[in-house]
Amino acid sequence: KLISPNSDIHNELRRRSILRTKNVTGEIGEYLVVKFYNKTRGLSNLFLPGPGVKNIDVISRKGDRYSIKTITSRNGTTGSFWNPESIKKNNKTFEFLIICVLDGDYSLDLILELSWDDFFKFKRFNSRMNNFQIGLTKKLISSVKVIYDKKVVS
């Protein structure tokens, strides 16, 4: 009941523009990523696109398109990337993928930034769901840009 769509907490998170949909984990991750990028010197300033924009979650001031996927474990797998035929043809739908890992308290644990080429290299096809996903592995983490790592900061 604490975070049900009609709860006081859920309504407060919506009022603060932290939540816009029913995807609570994804929305919290997007909010924390945008907040982190916008307060950190040297990172792009990000903002939400207008309604109806597909395949991306935020845009930079330079016009770069970002997709953000939030997971709750360093051993997790991202949510789905749909339109597999377009991806197989290497039709770029975003310039950067940000993978946000939240800890058990829904605080930032890890932020990774992948270029489209990184995404294309590490994507895995899920034939049951007919989509692509990215699994977090040591190889992935060591191969892409680590924006934030709680283990390094702590």
Side-chain angles (χ1 to χ4, degrees):
K1 287 188 174 187
L2 275 177
I3 58 170
S4 75
N6 296 323
S7 73
D8 291 341
I9 292 171
H10 194 274
N11 289 335
E12 181 63 19
L13 291 171
R14 290 182 75 86
R15 189 186 68 73
R16 293 183 188 192
S17 298
I18 295 171
L19 299 181
R20 298 178 323 253
T21 69
K22 293 179 182 177
N23 178 0
V24 175
T25 301
E27 295 281 342
I28 290 172
E30 288 176 20
Y31 174 82
L32 293 173
V33 164
V34 169
K35 185 176 173 184
F36 187 87
Y37 269 66
N38 290 349
K39 76 173 187 174
T40 305
R41 174 177 257 127
L43 295 179
S44 296
N45 284 328
L46 303 177
F47 60 93
L48 299 171
V53 175
K54 294 187 178 193
N55 300 317
I56 62 168
D57 298 300
V58 294
I59 301 173
S60 74
R61 285 193 180 168
K62 294 188 286 183
D64 289 328
R65 301 165 297 171
Y66 289 74
S67 178
I68 300 174
K69 296 293 185 182
T70 303
I71 58 178
T72 56
S73 167
R74 287 183 182 233
N75 300 320
T77 300
T78 67
S80 301
F81 297 90
W82 299 100
N83 199 353
E85 295 309 314
S86 178
I87 292 171
K88 288 176 186 175
K89 294 176 185 172
N90 201 9
N91 293 334
K92 187 189 284 190
T93 56
F94 52 81
E95 280 72 42
F96 298 100
L97 166 63
I98 297 172
I99 300 175
C100 172
V101 181
L102 302 178
D103 65 17
D105 294 325
Y106 283 83
S107 298
L108 286 176
D109 183 26
L110 182 67
I111 300 174
L112 303 175
E113 185 179 279
L114 288 72
S115 67
W116 176 263
D117 291 337
D118 294 330
F119 163 74
F120 206 78
K121 176 180 176 182
F122 287 101
K123 69 183 176 4
R124 291 187 318 205
F125 188 69
N126 180 335
S127 58
R128 187 176 63 80
M129 297 294 291
N130 193 34
N131 63 23
F132 285 97
Q133 302 168 326
I134 302 259
L136 246 65
T137 63
K138 290 178 183 176
K139 182 178 180 182
L140 171 79
I141 295 170
S142 67
S143 300
V144 301
K145 187 175 182 180
V146 177
I147 300 296
Y148 174 81
D149 188 341
K150 186 180 207 174
K151 290 182 178 179
V152 174
V153 175
S154 299

mmCIF file of all heavy atoms in Angstrom, residues 20 26-27 29-35 37-38 44-50 53-69 93-99 113:
data_model
loop_
_atom_site.group_PDB
_atom_site.id
_atom_site.type_symbol
_atom_site.label_atom_id
_atom_site.label_comp_id
_atom_site.label_asym_id
_atom_site.label_seq_id
_atom_site.Cartn_x
_atom_site.Cartn_y
_atom_site.Cartn_z
ATOM 1 N N ARG A 20 6.309 9.375 -13.444
ATOM 2 C CA ARG A 20 5.376 9.795 -14.482
ATOM 3 C C ARG A 20 4.516 8.624 -14.947
ATOM 4 O O ARG A 20 3.494 8.809 -15.561
ATOM 5 C CB ARG A 20 6.147 10.361 -15.681
ATOM 6 C CG ARG A 20 6.977 11.584 -15.358
ATOM 7 C CD ARG A 20 7.744 12.064 -16.584
ATOM 8 N NE ARG A 20 8.226 10.962 -17.399
ATOM 9 C CZ ARG A 20 9.488 10.579 -17.491
ATOM 10 N NH1 ARG A 20 10.424 11.194 -16.844
ATOM 11 N NH2 ARG A 20 9.835 9.566 -18.257
ATOM 12 N N GLY A 26 12.045 2.030 -12.922
ATOM 13 C CA GLY A 26 12.575 2.749 -14.078
ATOM 14 C C GLY A 26 12.514 4.253 -13.901
ATOM 15 O O GLY A 26 13.457 4.974 -14.228
ATOM 16 N N GLU A 27 11.424 4.736 -13.371
ATOM 17 C CA GLU A 27 11.256 6.181 -13.172
ATOM 18 C C GLU A 27 12.238 6.719 -12.132
ATOM 19 O O GLU A 27 12.800 7.797 -12.305
ATOM 20 C CB GLU A 27 9.823 6.494 -12.735
ATOM 21 C CG GLU A 27 8.779 6.190 -13.781
ATOM 22 C CD GLU A 27 8.686 7.254 -14.856
ATOM 23 O OE1 GLU A 27 9.169 8.369 -14.653
ATOM 24 O OE2 GLU A 27 8.100 6.961 -15.898
ATOM 25 N N GLY A 29 15.148 5.420 -11.403
ATOM 26 C CA GLY A 29 16.455 5.393 -12.058
ATOM 27 C C GLY A 29 16.651 6.565 -12.997
ATOM 28 O O GLY A 29 17.690 7.225 -12.983
ATOM 29 N N GLU A 30 15.648 6.845 -13.827
ATOM 30 C CA GLU A 30 15.748 7.986 -14.755
ATOM 31 C C GLU A 30 15.922 9.289 -13.985
ATOM 32 O O GLU A 30 16.765 10.121 -14.343
ATOM 33 C CB GLU A 30 14.508 8.068 -15.642
ATOM 34 C CG GLU A 30 14.437 6.986 -16.686
ATOM 35 C CD GLU A 30 13.149 7.038 -17.490
ATOM 36 O OE1 GLU A 30 12.480 8.089 -17.523
ATOM 37 O OE2 GLU A 30 12.809 6.005 -18.102
ATOM 38 N N TYR A 31 15.143 9.473 -12.947
ATOM 39 C CA TYR A 31 15.235 10.690 -12.139
ATOM 40 C C TYR A 31 16.644 10.847 -11.552
ATOM 41 O O TYR A 31 17.244 11.927 -11.634
ATOM 42 C CB TYR A 31 14.182 10.649 -11.020
ATOM 43 C CG TYR A 31 14.305 11.787 -10.049
ATOM 44 C CD1 TYR A 31 13.753 13.030 -10.338
ATOM 45 C CD2 TYR A 31 14.968 11.625 -8.834
ATOM 46 C CE1 TYR A 31 13.875 14.088 -9.445
ATOM 47 C CE2 TYR A 31 15.090 12.672 -7.941
ATOM 48 C CZ TYR A 31 14.544 13.899 -8.249
ATOM 49 O OH TYR A 31 14.672 14.939 -7.371
ATOM 50 N N LEU A 32 17.183 9.767 -10.961
ATOM 51 C CA LEU A 32 18.504 9.843 -10.338
ATOM 52 C C LEU A 32 19.606 10.070 -11.369
ATOM 53 O O LEU A 32 20.559 10.811 -11.116
ATOM 54 C CB LEU A 32 18.772 8.578 -9.518
ATOM 55 C CG LEU A 32 17.889 8.403 -8.275
ATOM 56 C CD1 LEU A 32 18.122 7.029 -7.645
ATOM 57 C CD2 LEU A 32 18.131 9.517 -7.272
ATOM 58 N N VAL A 33 19.487 9.441 -12.534
ATOM 59 C CA VAL A 33 20.484 9.633 -13.597
ATOM 60 C C VAL A 33 20.480 11.084 -14.078
ATOM 61 O O VAL A 33 21.532 11.716 -14.181
ATOM 62 C CB VAL A 33 20.242 8.662 -14.776
ATOM 63 C CG1 VAL A 33 21.003 9.096 -16.017
ATOM 64 C CG2 VAL A 33 20.632 7.243 -14.379
ATOM 65 N N VAL A 34 19.311 11.624 -14.379
ATOM 66 C CA VAL A 34 19.227 13.009 -14.851
ATOM 67 C C VAL A 34 19.784 13.958 -13.798
ATOM 68 O O VAL A 34 20.575 14.854 -14.106
ATOM 69 C CB VAL A 34 17.768 13.371 -15.237
ATOM 70 C CG1 VAL A 34 17.621 14.874 -15.474
ATOM 71 C CG2 VAL A 34 17.338 12.596 -16.472
ATOM 72 N N LYS A 35 19.415 13.752 -12.557
ATOM 73 C CA LYS A 35 19.907 14.593 -11.461
ATOM 74 C C LYS A 35 21.435 14.503 -11.359
ATOM 75 O O LYS A 35 22.120 15.520 -11.235
ATOM 76 C CB LYS A 35 19.248 14.150 -10.149
ATOM 77 C CG LYS A 35 19.576 15.005 -8.959
ATOM 78 C CD LYS A 35 18.780 14.530 -7.746
ATOM 79 C CE LYS A 35 19.224 15.262 -6.491
ATOM 80 N NZ LYS A 35 18.533 14.763 -5.304
ATOM 81 N N TYR A 37 23.684 13.522 -13.733
ATOM 82 C CA TYR A 37 24.321 14.116 -14.916
ATOM 83 C C TYR A 37 24.284 15.645 -14.839
ATOM 84 O O TYR A 37 25.277 16.309 -15.129
ATOM 85 C CB TYR A 37 23.637 13.649 -16.198
ATOM 86 C CG TYR A 37 24.252 12.404 -16.808
ATOM 87 C CD1 TYR A 37 24.187 11.180 -16.159
ATOM 88 C CD2 TYR A 37 24.890 12.448 -18.034
ATOM 89 C CE1 TYR A 37 24.738 10.038 -16.722
ATOM 90 C CE2 TYR A 37 25.448 11.324 -18.609
ATOM 91 C CZ TYR A 37 25.369 10.118 -17.944
ATOM 92 O OH TYR A 37 25.925 8.995 -18.505
ATOM 93 N N ASN A 38 23.136 16.187 -14.480
ATOM 94 C CA ASN A 38 22.980 17.641 -14.491
ATOM 95 C C ASN A 38 23.773 18.348 -13.391
ATOM 96 O O ASN A 38 24.064 19.534 -13.518
ATOM 97 C CB ASN A 38 21.502 18.020 -14.424
ATOM 98 C CG ASN A 38 20.785 17.666 -15.711
ATOM 99 O OD1 ASN A 38 21.395 17.326 -16.727
ATOM 100 N ND2 ASN A 38 19.470 17.714 -15.674
ATOM 101 N N SER A 44 26.914 15.557 -19.802
ATOM 102 C CA SER A 44 25.868 16.263 -20.554
ATOM 103 C C SER A 44 24.722 16.656 -19.641
ATOM 104 O O SER A 44 24.365 15.922 -18.724
ATOM 105 C CB SER A 44 25.324 15.366 -21.662
ATOM 106 O OG SER A 44 26.321 15.080 -22.610
ATOM 107 N N ASN A 45 24.132 17.815 -19.918
ATOM 108 C CA ASN A 45 22.879 18.186 -19.263
ATOM 109 C C ASN A 45 21.754 17.472 -19.994
ATOM 110 O O ASN A 45 21.658 17.547 -21.211
ATOM 111 C CB ASN A 45 22.654 19.697 -19.305
ATOM 112 C CG ASN A 45 23.511 20.418 -18.302
ATOM 113 O OD1 ASN A 45 23.805 19.886 -17.235
ATOM 114 N ND2 ASN A 45 23.915 21.624 -18.624
ATOM 115 N N LEU A 46 20.902 16.794 -19.235
ATOM 116 C CA LEU A 46 19.844 15.975 -19.819
ATOM 117 C C LEU A 46 18.477 16.518 -19.447
ATOM 118 O O LEU A 46 18.301 17.079 -18.370
ATOM 119 C CB LEU A 46 19.964 14.535 -19.308
ATOM 120 C CG LEU A 46 21.297 13.834 -19.552
ATOM 121 C CD1 LEU A 46 21.288 12.441 -18.929
ATOM 122 C CD2 LEU A 46 21.622 13.744 -21.031
ATOM 123 N N PHE A 47 17.523 16.346 -20.348
ATOM 124 C CA PHE A 47 16.154 16.743 -20.053
ATOM 125 C C PHE A 47 15.196 15.768 -20.728
ATOM 126 O O PHE A 47 15.554 15.059 -21.662
ATOM 127 C CB PHE A 47 15.870 18.189 -20.456
ATOM 128 C CG PHE A 47 16.053 18.471 -21.926
ATOM 129 C CD1 PHE A 47 14.979 18.389 -22.792
ATOM 130 C CD2 PHE A 47 17.297 18.831 -22.430
ATOM 131 C CE1 PHE A 47 15.136 18.649 -24.144
ATOM 132 C CE2 PHE A 47 17.465 19.091 -23.778
ATOM 133 C CZ PHE A 47 16.387 19.008 -24.642
ATOM 134 N N LEU A 48 13.973 15.732 -20.216
ATOM 135 C CA LEU A 48 12.953 14.832 -20.747
ATOM 136 C C LEU A 48 12.441 15.352 -22.084
ATOM 137 O O LEU A 48 12.199 16.547 -22.234
ATOM 138 C CB LEU A 48 11.788 14.724 -19.770
ATOM 139 C CG LEU A 48 12.134 14.164 -18.393
ATOM 140 C CD1 LEU A 48 10.938 14.314 -17.456
ATOM 141 C CD2 LEU A 48 12.552 12.713 -18.490
ATOM 142 N N PRO A 49 12.263 14.468 -23.055
ATOM 143 C CA PRO A 49 11.694 14.903 -24.338
ATOM 144 C C PRO A 49 10.193 15.126 -24.193
ATOM 145 O O PRO A 49 9.591 14.766 -23.190
ATOM 146 C CB PRO A 49 11.986 13.726 -25.263
ATOM 147 C CG PRO A 49 12.015 12.547 -24.353
ATOM 148 C CD PRO A 49 12.560 13.051 -23.037
ATOM 149 N N GLY A 50 9.606 15.679 -25.211
ATOM 150 C CA GLY A 50 8.158 15.892 -25.213
ATOM 151 C C GLY A 50 7.402 14.577 -25.261
ATOM 152 O O GLY A 50 7.982 13.526 -25.513
ATOM 153 N N VAL A 53 7.565 10.669 -27.684
ATOM 154 C CA VAL A 53 8.864 10.317 -28.244
ATOM 155 C C VAL A 53 9.150 8.855 -27.914
ATOM 156 O O VAL A 53 9.008 8.425 -26.771
ATOM 157 C CB VAL A 53 9.981 11.236 -27.680
ATOM 158 C CG1 VAL A 53 11.343 10.801 -28.167
ATOM 159 C CG2 VAL A 53 9.716 12.672 -28.065
ATOM 160 N N LYS A 54 9.546 8.068 -28.920
ATOM 161 C CA LYS A 54 9.767 6.636 -28.733
ATOM 162 C C LYS A 54 11.258 6.306 -28.675
ATOM 163 O O LYS A 54 12.081 7.000 -29.265
ATOM 164 C CB LYS A 54 9.115 5.844 -29.862
ATOM 165 C CG LYS A 54 7.609 5.943 -29.856
ATOM 166 C CD LYS A 54 7.003 5.023 -30.883
ATOM 167 C CE LYS A 54 5.491 5.121 -30.800
ATOM 168 N NZ LYS A 54 4.836 4.080 -31.522
ATOM 169 N N ASN A 55 11.565 5.216 -27.977
ATOM 170 C CA ASN A 55 12.899 4.610 -27.905
ATOM 171 C C ASN A 55 13.917 5.379 -27.072
ATOM 172 O O ASN A 55 15.022 4.893 -26.881
ATOM 173 C CB ASN A 55 13.496 4.375 -29.299
ATOM 174 C CG ASN A 55 12.652 3.448 -30.133
ATOM 175 O OD1 ASN A 55 12.164 2.434 -29.641
ATOM 176 N ND2 ASN A 55 12.454 3.797 -31.382
ATOM 177 N N ILE A 56 13.601 6.574 -26.631
ATOM 178 C CA ILE A 56 14.560 7.320 -25.816
ATOM 179 C C ILE A 56 13.869 7.842 -24.562
ATOM 180 O O ILE A 56 12.647 7.968 -24.511
ATOM 181 C CB ILE A 56 15.211 8.489 -26.588
ATOM 182 C CG1 ILE A 56 14.169 9.516 -27.021
ATOM 183 C CG2 ILE A 56 16.027 7.981 -27.760
ATOM 184 C CD1 ILE A 56 14.763 10.809 -27.527
ATOM 185 N N ASP A 57 14.684 8.128 -23.559
ATOM 186 C CA ASP A 57 14.147 8.621 -22.294
ATOM 187 C C ASP A 57 14.523 10.069 -22.027
ATOM 188 O O ASP A 57 13.756 10.798 -21.416
ATOM 189 C CB ASP A 57 14.646 7.738 -21.143
ATOM 190 C CG ASP A 57 14.161 6.311 -21.303
ATOM 191 O OD1 ASP A 57 12.932 6.117 -21.327
ATOM 192 O OD2 ASP A 57 14.998 5.402 -21.421
ATOM 193 N N VAL A 58 15.715 10.479 -22.475
ATOM 194 C CA VAL A 58 16.167 11.854 -22.273
ATOM 195 C C VAL A 58 16.970 12.310 -23.491
ATOM 196 O O VAL A 58 17.419 11.496 -24.299
ATOM 197 C CB VAL A 58 17.022 12.011 -20.986
ATOM 198 C CG1 VAL A 58 16.202 11.770 -19.729
ATOM 199 C CG2 VAL A 58 18.237 11.109 -21.003
ATOM 200 N N ILE A 59 17.138 13.610 -23.574
ATOM 201 C CA ILE A 59 17.911 14.229 -24.652
ATOM 202 C C ILE A 59 18.918 15.175 -24.009
ATOM 203 O O ILE A 59 18.615 15.826 -23.008
ATOM 204 C CB ILE A 59 16.994 15.022 -25.607
ATOM 205 C CG1 ILE A 59 15.941 14.101 -26.227
ATOM 206 C CG2 ILE A 59 17.788 15.729 -26.698
ATOM 207 C CD1 ILE A 59 14.890 14.808 -27.061
ATOM 208 N N SER A 60 20.101 15.272 -24.611
ATOM 209 C CA SER A 60 21.085 16.234 -24.120
ATOM 210 C C SER A 60 20.858 17.580 -24.804
ATOM 211 O O SER A 60 20.150 17.664 -25.817
ATOM 212 C CB SER A 60 22.507 15.754 -24.401
ATOM 213 O OG SER A 60 22.821 15.901 -25.775
ATOM 214 N N ARG A 61 21.476 18.597 -24.258
ATOM 215 C CA ARG A 61 21.369 19.928 -24.887
ATOM 216 C C ARG A 61 21.925 19.936 -26.295
ATOM 217 O O ARG A 61 21.521 20.736 -27.122
ATOM 218 C CB ARG A 61 22.099 20.968 -24.033
ATOM 219 C CG ARG A 61 21.341 21.341 -22.811
ATOM 220 C CD ARG A 61 21.924 22.570 -22.172
ATOM 221 N NE ARG A 61 21.146 22.889 -20.984
ATOM 222 C CZ ARG A 61 21.519 23.751 -20.095
ATOM 223 N NH1 ARG A 61 22.655 24.396 -20.221
ATOM 224 N NH2 ARG A 61 20.758 23.988 -19.052
ATOM 225 N N LYS A 62 22.879 19.020 -26.562
ATOM 226 C CA LYS A 62 23.461 18.929 -27.904
ATOM 227 C C LYS A 62 22.581 18.138 -28.862
ATOM 228 O O LYS A 62 22.887 18.027 -30.038
ATOM 229 C CB LYS A 62 24.839 18.274 -27.836
ATOM 230 C CG LYS A 62 25.884 19.089 -27.093
ATOM 231 C CD LYS A 62 27.263 18.484 -27.216
ATOM 232 C CE LYS A 62 27.384 17.258 -26.366
ATOM 233 N NZ LYS A 62 28.725 16.653 -26.377
ATOM 234 N N GLY A 63 21.491 17.567 -28.338
ATOM 235 C CA GLY A 63 20.584 16.795 -29.179
ATOM 236 C C GLY A 63 20.855 15.302 -29.192
ATOM 237 O O GLY A 63 20.178 14.565 -29.915
ATOM 238 N N ASP A 64 21.827 14.840 -28.394
ATOM 239 C CA ASP A 64 22.075 13.400 -28.319
ATOM 240 C C ASP A 64 20.907 12.710 -27.620
ATOM 241 O O ASP A 64 20.376 13.208 -26.630
ATOM 242 C CB ASP A 64 23.368 13.106 -27.540
ATOM 243 C CG ASP A 64 24.610 13.509 -28.310
ATOM 244 O OD1 ASP A 64 24.596 13.428 -29.552
ATOM 245 O OD2 ASP A 64 25.602 13.895 -27.659
ATOM 246 N N ARG A 65 20.519 11.565 -28.160
ATOM 247 C CA ARG A 65 19.398 10.797 -27.618
ATOM 248 C C ARG A 65 19.933 9.706 -26.683
ATOM 249 O O ARG A 65 20.882 9.008 -27.026
ATOM 250 C CB ARG A 65 18.605 10.164 -28.751
ATOM 251 C CG ARG A 65 18.061 11.187 -29.726
ATOM 252 C CD ARG A 65 17.600 10.533 -31.008
ATOM 253 N NE ARG A 65 18.748 9.901 -31.669
ATOM 254 C CZ ARG A 65 18.659 9.095 -32.725
ATOM 255 N NH1 ARG A 65 17.480 8.806 -33.241
ATOM 256 N NH2 ARG A 65 19.735 8.558 -33.264
ATOM 257 N N TYR A 66 19.301 9.587 -25.514
ATOM 258 C CA TYR A 66 19.711 8.610 -24.511
ATOM 259 C C TYR A 66 18.550 7.692 -24.170
ATOM 260 O O TYR A 66 17.429 8.144 -23.965
ATOM 261 C CB TYR A 66 20.118 9.306 -23.205
ATOM 262 C CG TYR A 66 21.419 10.070 -23.256
ATOM 263 C CD1 TYR A 66 21.518 11.289 -23.908
ATOM 264 C CD2 TYR A 66 22.554 9.579 -22.609
ATOM 265 C CE1 TYR A 66 22.705 11.999 -23.931
ATOM 266 C CE2 TYR A 66 23.744 10.286 -22.627
ATOM 267 C CZ TYR A 66 23.818 11.487 -23.283
ATOM 268 O OH TYR A 66 24.989 12.189 -23.299
ATOM 269 N N SER A 67 18.848 6.399 -24.071
ATOM 270 C CA SER A 67 17.921 5.436 -23.514
ATOM 271 C C SER A 67 18.453 5.076 -22.131
ATOM 272 O O SER A 67 19.669 4.900 -21.958
ATOM 273 C CB SER A 67 17.857 4.180 -24.388
ATOM 274 O OG SER A 67 16.985 3.228 -23.833
ATOM 275 N N ILE A 68 17.581 5.011 -21.134
ATOM 276 C CA ILE A 68 18.001 4.668 -19.777
ATOM 277 C C ILE A 68 17.294 3.386 -19.362
ATOM 278 O O ILE A 68 16.068 3.290 -19.463
ATOM 279 C CB ILE A 68 17.668 5.795 -18.777
ATOM 280 C CG1 ILE A 68 18.367 7.098 -19.176
ATOM 281 C CG2 ILE A 68 18.058 5.375 -17.354
ATOM 282 C CD1 ILE A 68 17.968 8.293 -18.321
ATOM 283 N N LYS A 69 18.076 2.420 -18.908
ATOM 284 C CA LYS A 69 17.522 1.166 -18.386
ATOM 285 C C LYS A 69 17.978 1.040 -16.936
ATOM 286 O O LYS A 69 19.166 1.185 -16.637
ATOM 287 C CB LYS A 69 18.012 -0.044 -19.188
ATOM 288 C CG LYS A 69 17.557 -0.053 -20.635
ATOM 289 C CD LYS A 69 16.072 -0.234 -20.767
ATOM 290 C CE LYS A 69 15.642 -0.361 -22.211
ATOM 291 N NZ LYS A 69 14.213 -0.487 -22.361
ATOM 292 N N THR A 93 18.796 4.090 -32.886
ATOM 293 C CA THR A 93 17.636 4.783 -32.328
ATOM 294 C C THR A 93 18.028 5.687 -31.163
ATOM 295 O O THR A 93 17.200 6.444 -30.671
ATOM 296 C CB THR A 93 16.559 3.787 -31.865
ATOM 297 O OG1 THR A 93 17.143 2.882 -30.920
ATOM 298 C CG2 THR A 93 15.993 3.007 -33.043
ATOM 299 N N PHE A 94 19.264 5.573 -30.692
ATOM 300 C CA PHE A 94 19.793 6.457 -29.647
ATOM 301 C C PHE A 94 21.305 6.517 -29.804
ATOM 302 O O PHE A 94 21.915 5.631 -30.409
ATOM 303 C CB PHE A 94 19.409 5.983 -28.235
ATOM 304 C CG PHE A 94 19.733 4.534 -27.951
ATOM 305 C CD1 PHE A 94 21.015 4.130 -27.589
ATOM 306 C CD2 PHE A 94 18.746 3.563 -28.037
ATOM 307 C CE1 PHE A 94 21.310 2.799 -27.334
ATOM 308 C CE2 PHE A 94 19.024 2.230 -27.779
ATOM 309 C CZ PHE A 94 20.312 1.852 -27.425
ATOM 310 N N GLU A 95 21.897 7.592 -29.290
ATOM 311 C CA GLU A 95 23.358 7.704 -29.325
ATOM 312 C C GLU A 95 23.992 7.005 -28.130
ATOM 313 O O GLU A 95 25.084 6.448 -28.227
ATOM 314 C CB GLU A 95 23.801 9.179 -29.332
ATOM 315 C CG GLU A 95 23.711 9.848 -30.689
ATOM 316 C CD GLU A 95 22.279 10.125 -31.127
ATOM 317 O OE1 GLU A 95 21.457 10.572 -30.293
ATOM 318 O OE2 GLU A 95 21.977 9.884 -32.324
ATOM 319 N N PHE A 96 23.302 7.045 -26.981
ATOM 320 C CA PHE A 96 23.852 6.478 -25.757
ATOM 321 C C PHE A 96 22.798 5.689 -24.992
ATOM 322 O O PHE A 96 21.638 6.072 -24.950
ATOM 323 C CB PHE A 96 24.393 7.587 -24.839
ATOM 324 C CG PHE A 96 25.512 8.366 -25.448
ATOM 325 C CD1 PHE A 96 25.269 9.601 -26.016
ATOM 326 C CD2 PHE A 96 26.805 7.865 -25.474
ATOM 327 C CE1 PHE A 96 26.294 10.329 -26.594
ATOM 328 C CE2 PHE A 96 27.833 8.586 -26.053
ATOM 329 C CZ PHE A 96 27.576 9.825 -26.620
ATOM 330 N N LEU A 97 23.258 4.606 -24.388
ATOM 331 C CA LEU A 97 22.455 3.835 -23.453
ATOM 332 C C LEU A 97 23.072 4.024 -22.079
ATOM 333 O O LEU A 97 24.279 3.845 -21.900
ATOM 334 C CB LEU A 97 22.468 2.348 -23.820
ATOM 335 C CG LEU A 97 21.952 1.377 -22.759
ATOM 336 C CD1 LEU A 97 20.475 1.636 -22.457
ATOM 337 C CD2 LEU A 97 22.182 -0.062 -23.194
ATOM 338 N N ILE A 98 22.251 4.404 -21.111
ATOM 339 C CA ILE A 98 22.707 4.497 -19.731
ATOM 340 C C ILE A 98 22.066 3.344 -18.975
ATOM 341 O O ILE A 98 20.847 3.173 -19.001
ATOM 342 C CB ILE A 98 22.299 5.834 -19.089
ATOM 343 C CG1 ILE A 98 22.974 6.993 -19.823
ATOM 344 C CG2 ILE A 98 22.673 5.841 -17.600
ATOM 345 C CD1 ILE A 98 22.489 8.360 -19.375
ATOM 346 N N ILE A 99 22.911 2.555 -18.326
ATOM 347 C CA ILE A 99 22.413 1.497 -17.449
ATOM 348 C C ILE A 99 22.610 1.979 -16.027
ATOM 349 O O ILE A 99 23.722 2.271 -15.600
ATOM 350 C CB ILE A 99 23.133 0.154 -17.679
ATOM 351 C CG1 ILE A 99 22.928 -0.311 -19.121
ATOM 352 C CG2 ILE A 99 22.639 -0.890 -16.687
ATOM 353 C CD1 ILE A 99 23.697 -1.573 -19.478
ATOM 354 N N GLU A 113 27.648 4.133 -19.099
ATOM 355 C CA GLU A 113 27.235 4.792 -20.338
ATOM 356 C C GLU A 113 27.821 4.025 -21.512
ATOM 357 O O GLU A 113 29.034 3.849 -21.602
ATOM 358 C CB GLU A 113 27.716 6.248 -20.352
ATOM 359 C CG GLU A 113 27.225 7.023 -21.561
ATOM 360 C CD GLU A 113 27.697 8.456 -21.534
ATOM 361 O OE1 GLU A 113 27.089 9.275 -20.835
ATOM 362 O OE2 GLU A 113 28.695 8.749 -22.229
#
